């Protein structure tokens, strides 16, 4: 990704996170911070179960190092701003989603390198891990953390339904633009094209997501997690 494309993408990401975070009322946020069982379940899935699923898929399909290391990075990374956006779009618990995103993003500064050290070095040569673009990874984490902090401050400072609605609309616009930008960049060249990959690439990308959804539903049912009003 070029320098200006990276800046533009990060600006849209920041705007999306700010918009979604500023939609959350502070009282709802405070209640979700005390929702320990839900948060611990989310962190267990995020940093233990999903990275392990990524590791299993990479080895089961025998993915090449470029595909495999990318999938391991994604499954070891924290839940991003798109999770907040989908929660907003489908009227799910946005306050819990933002809380989870903030907490997992902060913890990922420790857990992301640990998971990659365990799974990537087990599957590939250690040089592959050393050659990862760690700067871009941590820049994205800083952008998300900064966006959440800015959005929550704005929600507290300009506490009103009208402001929350405006922030939500701005976040939705940023989300659509970010998807369009990602689509354009993924189609810009043969080496980076999303659409000319072998079947196991698409199966490999989808598998950890599907497995994670199944396990998440089983865990929330088993622990009898309830919606916090």
């Amino acid at each position: 990704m070029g320098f200006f494309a990276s800046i533009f993408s990060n600006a849209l990401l920041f705007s999306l996170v700010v918009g979604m975070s500023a939609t959350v009322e502070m009282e709802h946020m405070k209640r979700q911070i005390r929702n320990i069982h839900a948060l611990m379940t989310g962190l267990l899935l995020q940093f233990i179960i999903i990275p392990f699923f990524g590791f299993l898929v990479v080895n089961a399909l025998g993915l090449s190092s470029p595909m495999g290391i990318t999938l391991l990075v994604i499954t070891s990374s924290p839940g991003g701003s798109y999770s907040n956006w989908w929660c907003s779009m489908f009227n799910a618990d946005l306050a819990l989603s933002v809380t989870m995103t903030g907490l997992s993003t902060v913890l990922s500064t420790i857990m992301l390198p640990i998971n990659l050290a365990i799974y990537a070095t087990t599957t590939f040569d250690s040089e592959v891990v050393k050659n990862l673009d760690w700067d871009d990874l941590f820049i994205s984490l800083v952008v998300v953390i900064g966006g959440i902090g800015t959005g929550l401050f704005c929600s507290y400072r300009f506490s009103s339904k009208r402001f929350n609605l405006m922030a939500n609309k701005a976040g939705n616009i940023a989300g659509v633009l970010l998807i369009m930008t990602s689509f354009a960049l993924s189609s810009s060249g043969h080496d980076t094209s999303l659409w000319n990959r072998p079947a196991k690439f698409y199966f490999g990308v989808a598998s950890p997501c599907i497995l994670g959804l199944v396990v998440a539903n089983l865990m929330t049912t088993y622990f009898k997690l309830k919606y916090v009003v």
Side-chain angles (χ1 to χ4, degrees):
M1 185 185 295
F3 176 73
F4 292 107
S6 178
I7 290 179
F8 185 63
S9 296
N10 281 321
L12 289 176
L13 175 62
F14 182 80
S15 300
L16 171 59
V17 177
V18 170
M20 294 300 102
S21 301
T23 304
V24 177
E25 296 180 15
M26 291 305 297
E27 287 303 316
H28 293 169
M29 189 75 176
K30 291 176 182 177
R31 285 196 290 270
Q32 291 301 341
I33 291 175
R34 296 191 293 269
N35 193 0
I36 302 299
H37 290 110
L39 295 176
M40 291 304 295
T41 301
L43 292 175
L44 177 63
L45 285 160
Q46 188 75 73
F47 293 120
I48 305 298
I49 295 176
I50 299 298
F52 181 64
F53 283 160
F55 170 74
L56 290 180
V57 169
V58 168
N59 284 275
L61 297 179
L63 296 180
S64 63
S65 56
M67 289 185 188
I69 200 70
T70 301
L71 186 59
L72 289 175
V73 168
I74 292 173
T75 54
S76 299
S77 296
S81 53
Y82 279 127
S83 64
N84 308 147
W85 191 36
W86 290 120
C87 284
S88 175
M89 293 285 287
F90 292 100
N91 199 30
D93 196 331
L94 182 58
L96 178 59
S97 179
V98 171
T99 304
M100 185 63 209
T101 297
L103 185 58
S104 65
T105 302
V106 171
L107 288 177
S108 70
T109 57
I110 299 173
M111 293 305 299
L112 175 60
I114 289 176
N115 276 320
L116 287 179
I118 294 171
Y119 296 122
T121 55
T122 302
T123 308
F124 303 107
D125 190 276
S126 59
E127 287 299 316
V128 175
V129 181
K130 291 179 181 178
N131 292 330
L132 282 173
D133 194 343
W134 291 100
D135 289 342
D136 274 357
L137 284 173
F138 283 103
I139 285 173
S140 296
L141 297 180
V142 170
V143 168
V144 172
I145 293 172
I148 291 174
T150 302
L152 292 176
F153 174 77
C154 291
S155 178
Y156 172 78
R157 179 65 179 81
F158 307 103
S159 181
S160 71
K161 293 287 186 182
R162 183 170 179 270
F163 173 77
N164 293 144
L165 182 60
M166 290 175 59
N168 188 263
K169 289 181 178 179
N172 284 331
I173 293 171
V176 172
L177 291 175
L178 187 56
I179 288 179
M180 293 172 63
T181 301
S182 300
F183 179 83
L185 291 173
S186 69
S187 306
S188 60
H190 178 77
D191 292 336
T192 59
S193 178
L194 181 64
W195 314 112
N196 61 351
R197 303 295 182 181
K200 68 178 181 180
F201 168 81
Y202 304 105
F203 182 76
V205 170
S207 295
C209 302
I210 296 171
L211 291 170
L213 284 171
V214 171
V215 173
N217 279 282
L218 290 174
M219 288 180 65
T220 54
T221 301
Y222 178 79
F223 292 124
K224 298 179 181 179
L225 299 182
K226 296 180 179 179
Y227 182 78
V228 176
V229 181

